[in-house]
Amino acid sequence: MTMAATTAFGELGLSITGLGTQYPPYALKPDAIDILAKRYYPDSPAMKKVLSINRYTGIDQRSSVGTPEHPVVNHPTAPTIAELHKLFMSDGVPLAVSAARKAMAEASVEPAQITHMVSTTCTNSANPGYDHYVAKDLGLGQSVEKVLLHGVGCSGGLAALRTAANLCLGHAMRGRPARILVVALEVSTTMVRSELDSINALQETRIGVALFSDCASAVVLSNGIGSDEAEPVYELLGWEHCTVPDTEADLGFDVDPNGWKVVLTPRVPQLTQSVLQPTYTALLDSLPPFPPAYSTPADFDWAMHPGGATILTGAEKAMGITPEHMRASYDTYINHGNSSSATIFSVLDRLRAKDMDEMAPGGRVRDYVVGCAFGPGITVEMCMFKRNLGGLPGRLVSGLQTPPETDPSEASSRYSEDDDEDSTAASVERLDAEGVSEKRNNDEAFISEALGDVELD
């Protein structure tokens, strides 16, 4: 049996039929790090610099499984990797189960219909992996084929989706249905004490402590074979993967007795910015011609993994796009922070919300969406999606909030599942676009100056 050459979009037959996101209940304001720093560490130049940069990340609040009073972090010494694992299992796995149930419910898929499970995390490395326990809690069959990806960091969500897509196509070649549950789970905020230890002992300016948050997200990917197929949320049209040579030391997450240590050098924003255009070009070259309305990067919507404010502003410069193109990325970054591999599915989930449609550039919601994330290596994962708009038109509004315009005092101190779906009032304001750009550029200049002469490793 041979497959016909691809001549039209959607011929791969791959679609995301369900999406689910679950954030934990607590939202850490920027002063959460100050509380622990002042409680357990002496004043020092490096600590002062990190706490200063922490106020300019553009993040209003970072979603977390706990507060600064949680016993795992509120202790004279940093937690061990064994203690972090215990918390990951007790508080993280239920988040993954909840996100998976949401995705399966939207896809109208029962546990018995799941054929594969592809999962990822960079904040746990137990054997069996956390996916074993998620599958068990979901009641998945013992014959479900499971794959757990590690070592892919923030690009893990799209790497897991790419892996699932290839599994889907393999089943399609055999004429068999595939309903693949893709799960990403990260519990990063519990590493705060390990990072503060390094800042204090080594006098390094380590900003990862101010960026990362906790989240679980999931999608159901289908190859379209079988009955009772749910309406697609997004069609997956193609993907591109590449590694930037000789960048292993620039971005990573190194194992440590107290968890993992963030590796992040000042070269990362420039490196990620430089690889965007060639990856985008390679992706488009692998796909059939687009309709005439899609001729430049600005003609697409963008779901960028919000690794940091400079990653997003760098993408704007490299691709000639605006904050409105990445509105769901900014919204997620401002209200939740960077949840590593789990963030990209959260962004895709957020992008389809009605209030996000209202902020589409030029008042036009795009059918086609470019998804992108960067991981250690440095690797880039890029996908092309076609969104099922369901006939909902976008409406023109005046602007979008981006990180420099945030006001942490206005944001809620605690999130619930219902709050997350209705967070627009706290997260997005109708702002004058020119004012947004000017303020964002001013704060970006401040951060660049602050980081210019330090090593972030």
Side-chain angles (χ1 to χ4, degrees):
M1 175 180 178
T2 59
M3 294 187 69
T6 300
T7 59
F9 285 128
E11 190 163 329
L12 290 179
L14 302 179
S15 59
I16 292 173
T17 54
L19 263 164
T21 302
Q22 186 61 62
Y23 284 101
Y26 299 99
L28 303 178
K29 300 291 186 66
D31 64 359
I33 298 175
D34 298 65
I35 292 170
L36 290 173
K38 293 174 181 177
R39 186 175 291 168
Y40 293 110
Y41 302 91
D43 200 10
S44 70
M47 194 67 73
K48 282 183 178 178
K49 179 160 280 191
V50 170
L51 296 181
S52 176
I53 292 172
N54 176 49
R55 294 192 290 272
Y56 286 87
T57 61
I59 299 172
D60 275 6
Q61 50 199 12
R62 291 178 298 117
S63 298
S64 176
V65 296
T67 72
E69 306 308 316
H70 194 290
V72 117
V73 297
N74 186 26
H75 192 269
T77 58
T80 66
I81 199 167
E83 292 171 314
L84 295 173
H85 165 70
K86 184 177 179 180
L87 186 61
F88 182 95
M89 297 302 295
S90 65
D91 290 36
V93 167
L95 298 178
V97 172
S98 177
R101 283 178 174 153
K102 290 179 180 179
M104 291 169 63
E106 182 174 29
S108 299
V109 168
E110 298 297 326
Q113 295 174 280
I114 297 294
T115 57
H116 306 70
M117 183 176 179
V118 181
S119 307
T120 186
T121 185
C122 64
T123 51
N124 191 261
S125 58
N127 297 281
Y130 84 92
D131 59 326
H132 171 88
Y133 300 97
V134 174
K136 189 174 181 179
D137 285 353
L138 292 172
L140 302 188
Q142 294 183 359
S143 62
V144 168
E145 298 180 30
K146 296 195 294 293
V147 176
L148 177 58
L149 303 184
H150 193 69
V152 288
C154 291
S155 63
L158 290 186
L161 184 63
R162 169 173 54 84
T163 302
N166 283 306
L167 290 171
C168 264
L169 293 177
H171 254 39
M173 286 292 293
R174 299 165 67 190
R176 300 176 63 177
R179 302 295 183 270
I180 303 185
L181 179 63
V182 183
V183 180
L185 169 62
E186 305 291 3
V187 180
S188 306
T189 59
T190 53
M191 314 292 178
V192 58
R193 293 297 308 281
S194 178
E195 290 289 346
L196 290 175
D197 276 0
S198 292
I199 294 166
N200 178 60
L202 304 175
Q203 287 299 291
E204 294 175 342
T205 307
R206 307 173 63 87
I207 64 169
V209 69
L211 299 175
F212 289 98
S213 57
D214 308 335
C215 179
S217 59
V219 304
V220 173
L221 185 70
S222 167
N223 68 356
I225 297 176
S227 59
D228 302 322
E229 179 71 358
E231 188 79 9
V233 178
Y234 293 98
E235 293 177 54
L236 177 58
L237 306 179
W239 52 89
E240 192 71 26
H241 166 89
C242 71
T243 301
V244 183
D246 302 319
T247 57
E248 297 87 354
D250 288 289
L251 183 61
F253 207 38
D254 288 345
V255 69
D256 183 83
N258 298 117
W260 286 265
K261 301 280 189 180
V262 177
V263 177
L264 180 64
T265 75
R267 296 204 314 157
V268 170
Q270 185 274 327
L271 288 168
T272 55
Q273 183 175 337
S274 67
V275 77
L276 269 173
Q277 182 66 58
T279 306
Y280 166 82
T281 300
L283 177 61
L284 262 62
D285 286 346
S286 71
L287 296 169
F290 280 83
Y294 294 87
S295 59
T296 71
D299 295 326
F300 296 83
D301 269 332
W302 286 75
M304 284 288 300
H305 168 70
T310 53
I311 299 295
L312 297 178
T313 55
E316 292 174 32
K317 295 172 184 175
M319 305 309 295
I321 57 179
T322 67
E324 285 75 18
H325 286 93
M326 298 186 292
R327 54 199 179 277
S329 300
Y330 275 111
D331 181 89
T332 301
Y333 179 75
I334 290 168
N335 288 290
H336 298 289
N338 174 1
S339 303
S340 191
S341 69
T343 320
I344 191 65
F345 296 149
S346 176
V347 170
L348 285 167
D349 197 7
R350 189 75 181 96
L351 180 62
R352 61 196 180 126
K354 183 179 179 180
D355 61 321
M356 291 289 101
D357 286 352
E358 293 173 350
M359 295 177 183
R364 180 173 68 86
V365 180
R366 275 64 173 171
D367 291 286
Y368 297 99
V369 179
V370 180
C372 184
F374 300 100
I378 293 174
T379 60
V380 56
E381 299 281 353
M382 190 175 286
C383 297
M384 182 64 71
F385 301 97
K386 184 177 182 183
R387 181 179 163 197
N388 181 0
L389 293 174
L392 294 176
R395 295 198 297 274
L396 180 63
V397 294
S398 60
L400 169 73
Q401 182 183 358
T402 53
E405 292 291 336
T406 59
D407 181 359
S409 65
E410 294 179 1
S412 170
S413 62
R414 183 179 175 93
Y415 264 73
S416 69
E417 184 175 320
D418 291 336
D419 293 335
D420 190 45
E421 296 177 358
D422 253 340
S423 62
T424 307
S427 66
V428 181
E429 300 172 3
R430 279 32 170 183
L431 301 173
D432 176 76
E434 183 177 347
V436 167
S437 177
E438 181 180 356
K439 186 68 167 63
R440 185 176 70 252
N441 291 339
N442 289 342
D443 281 354
E444 184 184 351
F446 174 90
I447 296 172
S448 298
E449 182 179 352
L451 304 185
D453 298 321
V454 301
E455 284 200 15
L456 312 177
D457 52 359

